[in-house]
Amino acid sequence: LLFPLQVMAQELPGSVVFWNTLQAYCGKAYEGEITAGGKEGDGYMGEKLVMHVRSCEEKTIQIPFFVGDDKSRTWLFTMTEDKLIRLKHDHRHEDGTEDKITQYGGLNPNKGLATIQFFPADQETADLIPYASNNVWWVTLDENSFTYNLHRIGTDRVFSVKFDLTKEVSAPGTPWGY
């Protein structure tokens, strides 16, 4: 049997497509709004919410999440050798030192889809914040929006913030500790 000469493109795993899409926004900042879980007095309501895809390296993407003048939060995405993505939350004080509650998050259990990645809480999170051991974070990403989500399984704790990727804004400066 003769086969025609052709190069068949191997389909990239969802995690790699997601990663490449996220890197396309490097250097840009976007404003967001709470779409679930916001309530008066939570520190988010009424504040300007901005994400800045600040740094994109081969295996690490840093996205500071600014809440008004609070520059303490940075989402750290890391690509593993197995093409899985890890999400960590880097929390810093204004002087740059790490908060006592920092570096929590999780590793996606599979390569996910090109537009969504899930991150169940890892053991480090369970040890650091026992009540968050059943957290699941997920991020959705398409040409219009980036949405960061949290659900604490077994509770009514839900939080979502959606960023409009069609309207770039000015980055609010450098996050604390960077």
Side-chain angles (χ1 to χ4, degrees), residues 17-109:
V17 175
F18 180 92
W19 185 266
N20 293 343
T21 301
L22 189 53
Q23 284 198 330
Y25 293 100
C26 201
K28 299 177 182 175
Y30 303 94
E31 192 166 346
E33 66 178 344
I34 305 282
T35 57
K39 58 183 182 262
E40 238 7 86
D42 66 3
Y44 295 94
M45 296 304 287
E47 296 291 342
K48 183 175 183 177
L49 307 174
V50 175
M51 67 174 269
H52 177 207
V53 186
R54 183 171 189 270
S55 173
C56 299
E57 298 173 11
E58 184 181 346
K59 298 196 181 284
T60 306
I61 298 174
Q62 298 173 357
I63 304 178
F65 172 38
F66 301 104
V67 179
D69 293 329
D70 184 338
K71 299 178 180 184
S72 66
R73 301 167 183 85
T74 300
W75 297 317
L76 301 175
F77 293 90
T78 306
M79 179 70 76
T80 70
E81 293 300 321
D82 296 333
K83 304 295 184 228
L84 299 175
I85 300 173
R86 180 179 323 282
L87 168 65
K88 289 290 185 171
H89 298 77
D90 185 358
H91 288 260
R92 304 282 176 142
H93 295 284
E94 199 165 355
D95 67 2
T97 59
E98 284 194 338
D99 192 276
K100 66 179 181 178
I101 304 295
T102 190
Q103 303 306 325
Y104 59 89
L107 178 69
N108 61 346

